[in-house]
């Protein structure tokens, strides 16, 4: 999180966070738009227009832009028939991220992950079923989608089998150790005979636990807690592979994926509570001793894991954030399948619509509406500038063509492909994201405009 001291800057950071929480993408765009609106508002204040009138004008302009987006949006086809448009949309999202050198593959992984867990009847996506794991080493291109669960653990004993086919898993949250009193206690061992008795008791208890697990037909134990070397040896001797110290969230995901039940006591373990998977295998990485477990061909195929590789931890974390944005965009498309075209095309189109609406307003709010239209152009201007183009000339040309050709799909040709039609270039954004950007940016600007003064901790004005 950025360390920001200025109060208004904090509001803009929170604005970006709100866009991320609500939509998952478009965080840069919403801050650029809010900054442009505040800049234009300052010019209007210098002209002597009251902040409330500016806020009202912005609200009216946002309503016009919001309604105009409805008229220029297009519907997407059913993803079950054609995934390509969804992959193109994910590629647009990933285009500005660090993963853009392999963004076709990353886009396909994001779409496949969402489609695996999506409930198309309810048009809903449960992100709890999509897990992201990263491992330093390899390159971004080695990132893969696993139709199952990936656990950052290995078998508890090095001599246990590295692969278990047709796995029947006992998923335990109880420790593999003899029962202890719940209250505070002390045990005195005064002779060798007492020690041998205690050791025999422990061994009997371990054997009883192992037998209880084996009697249910389980051939793999997933345990939330650890167990000592004696228990580990007994499990190996009884040919019962085990995994220990598996975290709570992973245990829950394994239970969902394999159709098993989490068992808190050995006495509650039955054959019906076992989870099933086609194969459980260990993955090894290069020359390191790191191991990970992959649980595949699960009973519930809706649980998936995206396994990210990268040269260092920073790249992996950035790839996780980028893929999260792409997952959110695809989820939004499944919830609402309407899209607009990117590259600043929708902003230019909305700017033209707001300017026309401002000409019909007789009150002072028309100035704020025209400023809103100018602020909308800050997005295509920034795109042109970042692409090494002459910003004002490029924007003027595209805006002129949009008016003359009545084509709201024309945007900034950032990659210089020779065509300004964003539909041809497959630069696609979701309608929900664009609408959220407009409404959130305007709300923050209205709130800031209604602030009379800011006082710093030292007592002076900021």
């Amino acid at each position: 999180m950025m360390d920001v001291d200025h109060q208004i800057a904090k509001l803009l950071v929170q604005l970006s966070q709100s866009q991320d929480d609500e939509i998952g993408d478009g965080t840069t765009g919403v801050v650029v738009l809010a900054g442009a609106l505040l800049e234009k508002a300052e010019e209007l204040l210098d002209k002597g227009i009251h902040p409330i009138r500016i806020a009202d004008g912005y609200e009216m302009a946002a309503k016009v832009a919001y309604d105009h987006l409805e008229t220029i949006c297009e519907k997407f086809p059913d993803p079950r028939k054609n995934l390509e448009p969804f992959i193109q949309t994910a590629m647009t999202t990933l285009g500005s991220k660090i993963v853009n050198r392999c963004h076709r593959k990353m886009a396909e992984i994001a779409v496949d992950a969402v489609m695996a867990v999506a409930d198309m009847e309810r048009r809903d996506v449960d992100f709890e079923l999509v897990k992201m794991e990263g491992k330093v080493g390899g390159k971004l291109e080695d990132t893969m989608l696993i139709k199952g669960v990936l656990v950052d653990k290995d078998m508890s004993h090095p001599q246990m089998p590295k692969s278990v086919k047709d796995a029947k898993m006992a998923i335990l949250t109880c420790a593999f150790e003899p029962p202890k009193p719940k209250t505070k206690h002390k045990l005195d061992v005064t002779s060798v005979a007492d020690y041998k008795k205690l050791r025999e008791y422990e061994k009997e208890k371990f054997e009883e636990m192992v037998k209880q697990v084996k009697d249910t037909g389980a051939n793999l134990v997933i345990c939330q807690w650890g167990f000592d070397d004696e228990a580990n040896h007994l499990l190996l001797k009884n040919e019962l592979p085990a995994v220990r110290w598996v975290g709570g969230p992973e245990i829950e995901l394994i239970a969902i994926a394999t159709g098993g039940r989490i068992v808190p006591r050995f006495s509650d373990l039955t054959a019906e509570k076992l989870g099933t998977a086609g194969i459980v295998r260990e993955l090894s990485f290069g020359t390191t001793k790191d191991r990970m477990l992959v649980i595949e061909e699960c009973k519930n195929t809706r649980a998936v894991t995206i396994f990210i590789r990268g040269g260092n931890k920073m790249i992996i974390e950035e790839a996780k954030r980028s893929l999260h944005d792409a997952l959110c965009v695809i989820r939004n498309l499944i919830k609402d399948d309407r899209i607009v075209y990117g590259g600043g095309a929708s902003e230019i189109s909305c700017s033209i619509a707001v300017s026309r609406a401002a000409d019909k307003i007789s009150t002072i709010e028309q100035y704020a509406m025209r400023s809103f239209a100018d602020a909308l152009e800050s997005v295509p201007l920034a795109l042109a500038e970042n692409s090494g183009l002459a910003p004002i000339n490029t924007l003027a040309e595209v805006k002129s063509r949009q008016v003359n050709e009545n084509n709201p799909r024309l945007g900034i040709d950032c990659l210089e492909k020779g065509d300004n039609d964003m539909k041809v270039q497959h630069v696609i954004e979701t309608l929900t994201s664009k609408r959220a950007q407009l409404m959130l940016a305007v709300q923050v600007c209205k709130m800031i405009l209604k602030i009379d003064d800011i006082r710093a901790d030292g007592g002076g004005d900021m």
Side-chain angles (χ1 to χ4, degrees):
M1 192 71 170
M2 275 192 294
D3 188 20
V4 179
D5 291 328
H6 197 285
Q7 299 301 320
I8 302 301
K10 282 181 182 176
L11 288 175
L12 291 176
V13 172
Q14 289 166 9
L15 166 69
S16 179
Q17 188 64 51
S18 299
Q19 176 77 12
D20 194 43
D21 293 344
E22 188 67 24
I23 304 296
D25 189 35
T27 49
T28 310
V30 75
V31 174
V32 169
L33 180 57
L37 287 171
L38 289 171
E39 193 180 337
K40 296 294 177 187
E42 189 178 19
E43 292 172 12
L44 294 172
L45 288 169
D46 290 342
K47 286 180 181 176
I49 300 173
H50 195 276
I52 299 295
R53 304 302 290 271
I54 298 170
D56 290 346
Y58 277 179
E59 187 73 40
M60 291 162 70
K63 179 78 172 65
V64 171
Y66 192 92
D67 293 341
H68 182 67
L69 284 172
E70 294 272 354
T71 63
I72 63 170
C73 69
E74 293 183 14
K75 275 184 98 64
F76 245 30
D78 190 326
R80 289 169 290 191
K81 294 173 185 170
N82 184 12
L83 283 178
E84 188 57 31
F86 286 76
I87 294 168
Q88 297 286 0
T89 309
M91 284 172 70
T92 302
T93 304
L94 295 169
S96 60
K97 308 288 196 292
I98 201 169
V99 298
N100 66 348
R101 66 191 174 91
C102 52
H103 71 314
R104 170 82 199 189
K105 182 178 179 179
M106 292 292 187
E108 286 173 358
I109 286 172
V111 172
D112 289 344
V114 171
M115 294 311 297
V117 303
D119 184 345
M120 296 307 291
E121 301 303 315
R122 289 171 48 229
R123 300 190 81 82
D124 191 26
V125 177
D126 185 3
F127 274 167
E128 292 290 317
L129 298 171
V130 181
K131 188 184 171 204
M132 277 197 251
E133 280 285 347
K135 198 78 175 173
V136 174
K139 51 189 186 292
L140 272 172
E141 285 84 347
D142 296 334
T143 299
M144 58 182 170
L145 179 69
I146 294 166
K147 297 285 180 76
V149 182
L150 189 72
V151 186
D152 195 3
K153 300 289 171 193
D154 57 356
M155 294 295 181
S156 61
H157 197 289
Q159 291 178 356
M160 284 177 178
K162 305 299 177 196
S163 175
V164 180
K165 289 190 175 178
D166 299 321
K168 291 179 181 175
M169 281 170 269
I171 305 165
L172 306 172
T173 54
C174 47
F176 244 106
E177 59 183 29
K180 294 175 183 172
K182 300 286 183 196
T183 54
K184 200 172 181 181
H185 66 285
K186 182 182 175 189
L187 183 66
D188 290 323
V189 178
T190 54
S191 66
V192 174
D194 285 351
Y195 177 76
K196 283 183 176 174
K197 272 185 191 174
L198 182 63
R199 195 169 174 282
E200 279 300 316
Y201 169 75
E202 281 194 350
K203 191 177 176 186
E204 278 173 27
K205 280 292 173 188
F206 281 138
E207 284 174 346
E208 187 186 321
M209 289 170 184
V210 172
K211 186 175 181 299
Q212 279 179 317
V213 174
K214 293 237 11 162
D215 286 349
T216 61
N219 57 4
L220 179 65
V221 176
I222 308 283
C223 190
Q224 188 174 9
W225 304 104
F227 36 82
D228 62 18
D229 290 341
E230 188 172 358
N232 208 6
H233 173 71
L234 271 170
L235 287 163
L236 175 67
K237 202 168 106 180
N238 284 276
E239 298 178 352
L240 189 60
V243 186
R244 56 185 165 183
W245 298 118
V246 180
E250 283 95 347
I251 280 265
E252 287 177 16
L253 200 59
I254 290 167
I256 291 167
T258 60
R261 296 279 294 278
I262 297 171
V263 180
R265 286 182 294 273
F266 281 94
S267 55
D268 294 346
L269 191 60
T270 61
E272 292 77 35
K273 292 179 181 177
L274 299 179
T276 55
I279 185 167
V280 178
R281 60 189 174 89
E282 260 190 18
L283 283 179
S284 57
F285 305 99
T287 56
T288 65
K289 292 181 181 177
D290 288 347
R291 302 275 189 275
M292 290 181 104
L293 271 183
V294 184
I295 302 168
E296 293 177 301
E297 298 171 28
C298 301
K299 189 175 179 181
N300 179 9
T301 54
R302 290 181 63 217
V304 296
T305 305
I306 299 172
F307 184 42
I308 302 164
R309 304 303 308 278
N312 57 44
K313 201 168 182 181
M314 192 193 81
I315 286 177
I316 287 171
E317 291 304 315
E318 186 59 36
K320 278 185 184 179
R321 283 190 289 272
S322 304
L323 275 168
H324 176 263
D325 286 0
L327 291 170
C328 289
V329 166
I330 304 303
R331 177 202 60 186
N332 294 339
L333 272 178
I334 284 171
K335 287 187 169 182
D336 184 350
D337 57 1
R338 290 173 296 173
I339 55 105
V340 290
Y341 290 96
S346 54
E347 283 87 356
I348 295 169
S349 184
C350 286
S351 171
I352 294 164
V354 171
S355 294
R356 285 174 180 159
D359 293 338
K360 298 172 188 172
I361 303 289
S362 58
T363 56
I364 205 167
E365 279 83 6
Q366 63 173 292
Y367 291 100
M369 289 182 75
R370 288 197 186 94
S371 292
F372 187 97
D374 292 342
L376 281 170
E377 291 173 3
S378 62
V379 173
L381 279 170
L383 283 171
E385 193 174 344
N386 291 344
S387 305
L389 304 169
I392 296 170
N393 294 348
T394 308
L395 176 63
E397 184 193 339
V398 174
K399 194 172 178 181
S400 164
R401 283 186 60 193
Q402 272 214 23
V403 173
N404 294 333
E405 297 173 27
N406 195 24
N407 183 358
R409 300 191 302 271
L410 297 174
I412 307 297
D413 182 17
C414 297
L415 301 175
E416 296 188 331
K417 290 187 176 179
D419 196 329
N420 290 96
D421 195 326
M422 296 296 114
K423 189 170 186 177
V424 175
Q425 290 203 28
H426 303 295
V427 182
I428 303 159
E429 295 186 62
T430 59
L431 177 65
T432 47
S433 172
K434 200 56 74 180
R435 290 201 307 201
Q437 281 183 28
L438 280 174
M439 301 320 289
L440 288 171
V442 169
Q443 283 169 17
V444 166
C445 290
K446 279 177 65 182
M447 186 169 69
I448 293 169
L449 282 166
K450 290 179 182 179
I451 296 171
D452 292 326
D453 208 349
I454 302 170
R455 299 198 68 80
D457 292 338
D461 290 346
M462 283 180 75

